[in-house]
Amino acid sequence: MERKWWHDSVVYQIYPRSFNDSNGDGIGDLVGIIEKLDYLKELGIDVIWLSPVYDSPNDDNGYDIRDYEAIMSEFGTMADFDRLLDQAHERGIKIVMDLVINHSSDEHAWFAESRKSKDNPYRDYYIWRSANEDGTLPNNWGSIFSGPAWELDEATNEYYLHLFSKKQPDLNWENEKLRQEVYQMITRWLDRGIDGFRMDVINLISKTPGLPDATVPPGALYGDGGQHYINGPRIHEFLKEMNDASFGNYDVLTVGEMPGATTDDAILYTDPERKEVNMVFTFEHMDLDSGPGGKWDVKPFDLQKLKENFTKWQVALHEKGWNSLYWNNHDQPRVVSRFGNDTTYRVESAKMLATLLHLLKGTPYIYQGEEIGMTNVAFESIEDYEDIEIRNMWKERTEQGASPAELLRAVHVKGRDNARTPIQWDATEHAGFTTGTPWLKVNPNYPTINVEQALEDPDSIFYYYKQLIALRHQHDVIVYGEYALILEEETDIYAYTRTYENETWYIYCSFSQEEVTVPLSHDTSDPVIGNYSESPAGSKEELVLRPYEAIVYRTTR
Ligand code: NOJ
C-alpha cells in the first residue's frame, strides 16, 4: 500500500464551542483555539479536526449550516480562521474541517429560496413531497432526533425531509446542480489551504428512489428509514464524483462519518484504488452498550463483544482499506466513564484504554479532554442539558409516559452533552474556560481534573498520550503491522499482537479491578510502555496484571 502522511498521523478533535473562550461570552472561539496551539503541539498531535465553525443558527451547534463560506460570529471572523490556519501550519499541525452536506440549515439561502414556490429554481435542492391521498405524511420514516422525518411548509403546502432536526432539511443529491455547487464550495475551502474533511453522515446522502415506507421496529413510533438511506443506491457514485471534482485533486485527509457501514462497505469506501474517501468512522463499537431499543436502551458493556468487533475491523481492512480509531467524539459519552472506571482507577483505566486504541492499525482520533481523562457529567435537572437530541427525546418520551428518573439516568450514561462540557483548563472558576458564564455548565470535578494539573504531573494521562503519539511516529509496526487477537477466551483481558517485518509487539490490557494472571509465551525483556511504574509480577510462563493494567512488549526474531 502506498504510504500516506495520514497513516502515521494522530488527529485531535476540537469542538470549538467548548474548547476555549477568549472573549468572555461563554462560548469557545477561534482565537481561543489559537491560544492553545502550543498546548496541542506539546501533546504532539499532527492534525486538528474542527467541528463546524461555519455560520449557523445553532439548532444543532453548527451542524446546521446557514452559510458554508462564512464563519459563525460567536467563533470569530474569516480573518481569525486564516490566522488559525497559518499558526497551526507554522507549528506543523494540519487542519481538517467538518463538512456537513447531507443537510443544511433551514436558514440557508438555498432553503429560503426553495421553500418559496414549487417552481423556484432552488426547489429541487431539497426533498419535497405532498401528503399522501389519505392525508398521511409522505412516508413513515422517523427523524434521528425523534418525531417524524417530515415537516409541513405552509407556503407551498408540501413537506420537506429532515433526517435530523426540523431546522436541518436534507439536501437533494439527485440534483446534479446541487452536487456541482457543493463540489465547488469544497474546492474553495481546499484552495484556502485546509488539509481535509471529516464528512458528516456522508453515507446518508443517497436515498432510495420513491422514498418507500420502512419497517417499524417493535415499540417504535416511526419506520426505520435507514434501510432506505444508509449506504443508499448511488452513494459510491456520488463519493467518486465528489473525489474527482474536489478533494481527489489535493493531498488531503478525508474521513467519512458512516453509521451503519459494515466492514464490506468500508472496504469499498476506503480502497485507495476506488478513490472515494481515505477512511470511515464506524459506529459498531459505539453501539455495543445499546439494547434493541437503540441508544437510550442502555446495556452493560461486554468486553468480548468489543474484542470481536475491533478484531473484525482490523482484519478486514488490513491491506484493503484504512481504519480510523476512536473512543470519543462530540456525540459520545466519555470513554473513561463508559468502558473504564472514572473513580478509583480513573488514571489507570484512561491510560489502558488509550494504549488499547493507539496501538491498533489505523488513524487514531483524540477528542478534546480525553487526554486528561475527562469524565461524564450527571446534571440533576434536564434543564441543564442543551443538546437537541436529548431535548427532543425527553419531550417525546415523557409525553408517552416514560419515567423521567429513568430517562435522566440514560442521559447521564449516553447523552451527548457528556462530551460537550467545557474543557477543564485549571482549577479557577468555570475551569478557566471562560471569564463569563459558560454556555453549558462545567463538570464539577474540574478542581481535580484539569490541564494545569496534568501538565504538572509527569505521570499524568496527558504525558501518557504524548508517549503513545510519539511511539506511532517512531515505529512502523504500529502504523503498518499486522494485527492478531490473542488470549481470546480471557474475559477481562484484551490482548493482541502487531507484527511487521522481524518485530512483534504484544499488547495486554486489563479491564478488571482485580489482579488477573494470564499465560505468557514470549520474552518480556523489552517493555515499551505501560501504565504502572513498576513492571508487572509473574514468571517466564505467566504475567500478573494489576487493575486496569496495560503493558506492551516488543520482541524481535
Ligand atoms: C453527526 C454529527 O456528529 C452530529 O453531532 C450531528 O448532530 C449529526 N451528524 C447531524 O449533522
Side-chain angles (χ1 to χ4, degrees):
M1 186 180 283
E2 192 196 335
R3 294 195 173 200
K4 294 285 182 189
W5 62 264
W6 38 266
H7 284 167
D8 66 352
S9 291
V10 177
V11 184
Y12 184 93
Q13 183 191 352
I14 292 185
Y15 193 69
R17 214 177 171 73
S18 303
F19 190 66
N20 183 35
D21 175 20
S22 73
N23 64 356
D25 66 356
I27 297 173
D29 48 47
L30 298 178
V31 172
I33 299 173
I34 296 172
E35 287 172 2
K36 300 295 182 185
L37 284 174
D38 286 332
Y39 166 73
L40 297 178
K41 180 78 193 153
E42 166 73 14
L43 181 59
I45 52 103
D46 306 278
V47 182
I48 293 171
W49 149 25
L50 275 185
S51 273
V53 295
Y54 313 94
D55 174 41
S56 163
N58 284 308
D59 191 51
D60 188 19
N61 289 349
Y63 284 90
D64 48 323
I65 297 173
R66 183 163 47 202
D67 183 345
Y68 288 100
E69 295 178 62
I71 297 293
M72 191 190 298
S73 54
E74 296 93 316
F75 289 176
T77 62
M78 196 56 93
D80 294 333
F81 179 82
D82 286 338
R83 204 148 58 81
L84 169 60
L85 193 59
D86 280 354
Q87 298 262 315
H89 285 168
E90 254 174 45
R91 290 166 176 81
I93 297 175
K94 295 183 156 59
I95 295 212
V96 162
M97 302 277 280
D98 223 302
L99 184 64
V100 188
I101 49 178
N102 173 69
H103 45 269
S104 72
S105 163
D106 67 337
E107 296 183 28
H108 192 288
W110 295 338
F111 193 74
E113 285 300 313
S114 185
R115 76 196 319 176
K116 278 186 185 160
S117 67
K118 291 187 190 170
D119 56 7
N120 187 284
Y122 289 90
R123 186 66 169 180
D124 282 344
Y125 273 44
Y126 295 87
I127 302 173
W128 293 96
R129 294 288 184 277
S130 48
N132 294 318
E133 273 172 18
D134 61 1
T136 53
L137 295 175
N139 72 22
N140 71 353
W141 301 358
S143 152
I144 294 162
F145 286 166
S146 304
W150 295 96
E151 181 70 8
L152 180 66
D153 198 51
E154 287 183 351
T156 55
N157 200 32
E158 281 196 337
Y159 292 84
Y160 63 87
L161 179 72
H162 62 90
L163 296 184
F164 294 90
S165 95
K166 287 177 198 169
K167 287 184 65 62
Q168 293 168 297
D170 280 55
L171 289 162
N172 178 17
W173 277 77
E174 299 295 320
N175 181 347
E176 157 92 39
K177 223 167 142 233
L178 170 273
R179 297 205 302 275
Q180 294 305 328
E181 277 218 52
V182 170
Y183 305 156
Q184 286 158 18
M185 174 274 287
I186 295 175
T187 301
R188 283 191 291 274
W189 274 106
L190 291 163
D191 287 339
R192 210 170 187 101
I194 66 157
D195 305 289
F197 291 103
R198 173 269 187 188
M199 302 156 77
D200 192 70
V201 291
I202 198 68
N203 64 333
L204 272 46
I205 60 178
S206 164
K207 282 89 175 164
T208 305
L211 311 179
D213 276 338
T215 28
V216 183
L221 293 174
Y222 301 97
D224 173 11
Q227 307 152 16
H228 299 300
Y229 59 73
I230 293 180
N231 309 313
R234 298 182 71 187
I235 183 63
H236 293 291
E237 174 197 335
F238 292 162
L239 285 174
K240 171 129 192 42
E241 184 183 84
M242 196 183 315
N243 182 309
D244 281 349
S246 63
F247 48 73
N249 306 316
Y250 299 75
D251 185 16
V252 294
L253 180 163
T254 50
V255 50
E257 188 204 23
M258 302 229 189
T262 63
T263 47
D264 286 344
D265 298 319
I267 291 170
L268 296 178
Y269 287 127
T270 68
D271 173 353
E273 311 229 311
R274 292 172 52 89
K275 298 199 181 338
E276 295 188 15
V277 297
N278 300 149
M279 57 191 118
V280 308
F281 285 134
T282 163
F283 283 83
E284 289 184 351
H285 65 304
M286 294 283 106
D287 293 336
L288 294 176
D289 54 359
S290 298
K295 160 169 187 166
W296 305 108
D297 178 10
V298 181
K299 221 176 65 178
F301 163 63
D302 178 345
L303 179 60
Q304 289 301 82
K305 293 234 154 65
L306 181 78
K307 285 160 67 169
E308 270 167 38
N309 189 265
F310 274 3
T311 300
K312 181 177 79 177
W313 281 82
Q314 288 286 303
V315 171
L317 269 61
H318 184 64
E319 307 289 359
K320 294 207 187 113
W322 194 256
N323 272 295
S324 61
L325 310 167
Y326 73 97
W327 286 132
N328 276 110
N329 60 40
H330 62 291
D331 295 330
Q332 300 295 337
R334 293 279 178 186
V335 72
V336 68
S337 303
R338 188 177 193 178
F339 302 151
N341 174 313
D342 64 7
T343 54
T344 322
Y345 297 110
R346 185 183 67 88
V347 173
E348 290 82 354
S349 67
K351 291 178 182 175
M352 180 278 289
L353 290 161
T355 314
L356 168 45
L357 195 83
H358 281 251
L359 295 182
L360 291 171
K361 186 172 179 196
T363 301
Y365 290 73
I366 300 169
Y367 177 68
Q368 61 182 35
E370 181 182 334
E371 77 282 12
I372 57 163
M374 278 179 63
T375 68
N376 280 354
V377 75
F379 296 133
E380 276 168 30
S381 161
I382 194 66
E383 298 304 319
D384 288 329
Y385 288 91
E386 296 290 337
D387 176 23
I388 182 155
E389 181 187 41
I390 297 176
R391 289 182 165 236
N392 286 0
M393 175 283 283
W394 183 270
K395 183 163 178 294
E396 181 171 291
R397 300 206 179 184
T398 49
E399 279 169 10
Q400 286 173 262
S403 140
E406 268 173 39
L407 290 183
L408 194 59
R409 252 196 307 280
V411 169
H412 290 167
V413 179
K414 287 288 190 69
R416 304 197 297 182
D417 281 342
N418 282 307
R420 300 176 181 186
T421 60
I423 293 304
Q424 298 162 203
W425 293 105
D426 57 37
T428 63
E429 199 186 13
H430 307 312
F433 162 72
T434 180
T435 52
T437 306
W439 71 276
L440 178 68
K441 282 188 174 174
V442 295
N443 190 316
N445 62 20
Y446 74 87
T448 49
I449 302 174
N450 61 62
V451 168
E452 190 175 64
Q453 180 281 332
L455 292 176
E456 278 164 8
D457 172 7
D459 283 333
S460 68
I461 300 167
F462 176 92
Y463 289 116
Y464 194 85
Y465 267 86
K466 182 175 171 167
Q467 283 183 62
L468 286 169
I469 296 167
L471 281 174
R472 177 167 295 267
H473 294 150
Q474 290 153 9
H475 297 278
D476 276 351
V477 62
I478 304 180
V479 185
Y480 296 108
E482 188 166 1
Y483 163 101
L485 182 69
I486 56 171
L487 304 181
E488 204 170 327
E489 306 301 325
E490 295 281 348
T491 50
D492 285 324
I493 305 296
Y494 190 158
Y496 63 92
T497 57
R498 299 291 309 283
T499 302
Y500 190 70
E501 295 175 347
N502 63 342
E503 240 180 283
T504 296
W505 287 29
Y506 289 82
I507 295 97
Y508 295 90
C509 295
S510 171
F511 282 71
S512 175
Q513 303 190 25
E514 316 290 331
E515 279 188 356
V516 181
T517 303
V518 297
L520 257 186
S521 59
H522 58 84
D523 174 29
T524 55
S525 60
D526 192 4
V528 184
I529 187 170
N531 61 350
Y532 279 79
S533 48
E534 306 287 318
S535 299
S539 63
K540 277 201 144 124
E541 284 84 39
E542 15 175 79
L543 187 64
V544 183
L545 294 166
R546 288 157 286 190
Y548 292 102
E549 179 150 18
I551 178 87
V552 180
Y553 298 104
R554 174 180 23 204
T555 64
T556 41
R557 273 184 305 280

